[in-house]
C-alpha cells in the first residue's frame, strides 16, 4: 500500500525512504540504524536491502511451487488476486510465463474459451498478462455468471448434445435460444459470432445458421401424432 500512496502524492525517493524508515520497528529499526544510509539513496535500493535482510532465503522457490499448483476454484477475480500475490514474490518471472501459467490453471471451460480466442490473435496481437486476465474474466462472467460472493459457478441452463465451444448462451430443449445478455451480445459481435448457435468466428449468421436450419428440418419432417392416429382410425373404419 505504501507504493500506491507514494505514487499518489508524487513523493520522491528520498522522502519515501525517510517515511518508510520512520515506520520500522524492532529488529528492522535496529538494522536500518546500522546501515550506511548514504549508499541507499534510491527507493529501489531501499526495497532491495530490506528484502535481502528480512525475506526468507527460499521465498522465490516457495512462491514458484505455489504458482505451479494454484488452480481456479472460484471466480476468475478471486483466482487472479491469489495469482498476482504470488507474482509479487517472483520478481524475475517473464510476462510469457505469467500468461502460460495463468491460462493452464483456469477452470476447464474458461480455459477452453481463452485458448480459442488467443489462437485467433496469435501472431497479430501482443498477448499480454493484463489482456488475458480481462479475457478470462469476461469468459467466466458470460459462461457461468460468477457472483461476488465466490460461490461455485453454475451454467445458465441446459445444453443440447453436451457443451459446445464458445456456447455463450444455451439453447433450450425446444430449440429456441435463450435471450442473450448485453455483455454476451457485445462479445459475439466483437468475435464475429452467430447469435443462434452462439459460436464465435463462424462464416454464417443467425439467419442461415446450420443449427437453426437443422432444427427447422427436424420440426418439418416430424410426423404429426394426431394426424397419424386419425388416419389409422379412418383406415380401420373403412375395413370394417
Amino acid at each position: 500500500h505504501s507504493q500506491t500512496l507514494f505514487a499518489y502524492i508524487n513523493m520522491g525517493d528520498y522522502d519515501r525512504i525517510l517515511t518508510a524508515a520512520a515506520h520500522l520497528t524492532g529488529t528492522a529499526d535496529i538494522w536500518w540504524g546500522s546501515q550506511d544510509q548514504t549508499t541507499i539513496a534510491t527507493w529501489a535500493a531501499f526495497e532491495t536491502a530490506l528484502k535481502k535482510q528480512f525475506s526468507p532465503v527460499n521465498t522465490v522457490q516457495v512462491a514458484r511451487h505455489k504458482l505451479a499448483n494454484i488452480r481456479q476454484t472460484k471466480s476468475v477475480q478471486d483466482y487472479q488476486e491469489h495469482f498476482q500475490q504470488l507474482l509479487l514474490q517472483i520478481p524475475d518471472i517473464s510476462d510469457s510465463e505469467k500468461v502460460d501459467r495463468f491460462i493452464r490453471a483456469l477452470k476447464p471451460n474458461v480455459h477452453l474459451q481463452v485458448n480459442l480466442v488467443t489462437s485467433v490473435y496469435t501472431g497479430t496481437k501482443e498477448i499480454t498478462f493484463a489482456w488475458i486476465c480481462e479475457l478470462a474474466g469476461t469468459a467466466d462472467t458470460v459462461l457461468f455468471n460468477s457472483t461476488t460472493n465466490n460461490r461455485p459457478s453454475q451454467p445458465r441452463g441446459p445444453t443440447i448434445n453436451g457443451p459446445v465451444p464458445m456456447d455463450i448462451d444455451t439453447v433450450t430443449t425446444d430449440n429456441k435460444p435463450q435471450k442473450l445478455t448485453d455483455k454476451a451480445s457485445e462479445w459475439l459481435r466483437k468475435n464475429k459470432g452467430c447469435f443462434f448457435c452462439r459460436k464465435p468466428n463462424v462464416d454464417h449468421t443467425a439467419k442461415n445458421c446450420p443449427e437453426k436450419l437443422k432444427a427447422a428440418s427436424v420440426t418439418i419432417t416430424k410426423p404429426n401424432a394426431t394426424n397419424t392416429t386419425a388416419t389409422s382410425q379412418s383406415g380401420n373404419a373403412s375395413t370394417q
Side-chain angles (χ1 to χ4, degrees):
H1 300 296
S2 60
Q3 296 230 42
T4 304
L5 174 62
F6 292 155
Y8 178 76
I9 61 179
N10 197 26
M11 186 179 287
D13 279 12
Y14 179 75
D15 290 328
R16 288 188 182 193
I17 294 171
L18 289 181
T19 302
H23 287 80
L24 295 177
T25 60
T27 305
D29 186 36
I30 296 172
W31 164 79
W32 178 242
S34 67
Q35 297 300 300
D36 180 2
Q37 298 174 13
T38 59
T39 64
I40 305 177
T42 66
W43 176 250
F46 178 79
E47 279 191 304
T48 300
L50 195 63
K51 289 177 180 178
K52 183 178 179 180
Q53 180 67 27
F54 295 102
S55 294
V57 176
N58 62 341
T59 297
V60 174
Q61 290 86 342
V62 171
R64 280 192 171 277
H65 177 73
K66 290 180 179 179
L67 196 66
N69 291 281
I70 193 173
R71 294 291 182 274
Q72 181 199 350
T73 57
K74 297 179 182 178
S75 69
V76 165
Q77 181 180 358
D78 179 80
Y79 164 59
Q80 182 183 338
E81 288 176 0
H82 284 80
F83 193 93
Q84 289 182 311
Q85 286 174 5
L86 293 174
L87 291 183
L88 292 175
Q89 302 173 54
I90 312 173
D92 61 339
I93 190 169
S94 66
D95 203 54
S96 60
E97 185 179 356
K98 293 177 190 177
V99 168
D100 180 67
R101 289 187 177 276
F102 187 83
I103 294 176
R104 286 176 183 272
L106 289 167
K107 287 180 180 178
N109 281 347
V110 181
H111 178 275
L112 174 63
Q113 315 315 322
V114 172
N115 266 345
L116 283 171
V117 176
T118 54
S119 66
V120 173
Y121 290 101
T122 300
T124 61
K125 175 182 176 64
E126 182 182 4
I127 309 300
T128 65
F129 178 67
W131 183 70
I132 287 295
C133 289
E134 182 181 356
L135 176 61
T138 300
D140 190 45
T141 300
V142 174
L143 285 172
F144 302 108
N145 195 24
S146 294
T147 56
T148 55
N149 61 0
N150 290 325
R151 289 180 296 181
S153 302
Q154 296 294 331
R156 291 191 172 193
T159 57
I160 294 178
N161 298 324
V164 181
M166 292 315 294
D167 190 1
I168 298 302
D169 224 312
T170 58
V171 178
T172 60
T173 52
D174 59 359
N175 293 317
K176 295 180 180 179
Q178 294 180 354
K179 184 178 179 180
L180 280 166
T181 63
D182 292 340
K183 196 167 186 177
S185 298
E186 181 183 356
W187 193 95
L188 281 169
R189 278 193 292 271
K190 287 182 178 179
N191 291 277
K192 300 179 181 179
C194 170
F195 279 72
F196 186 85
C197 65
R198 316 294 165 81
K199 298 177 184 177
N201 304 308
V202 293
D203 57 358
H204 64 263
T205 63
K207 184 177 180 179
N208 61 354
C209 175
E211 294 291 335
K212 183 176 183 180
L213 297 177
K214 180 181 177 182
S217 175
V218 170
T219 302
I220 292 171
T221 58
K222 184 177 180 180
N224 187 303
T226 303
N227 290 341
T228 302
T229 302
T231 302
S232 176
Q233 290 176 348
S234 175
N236 291 337
S238 298
T239 303
Q240 291 174 355

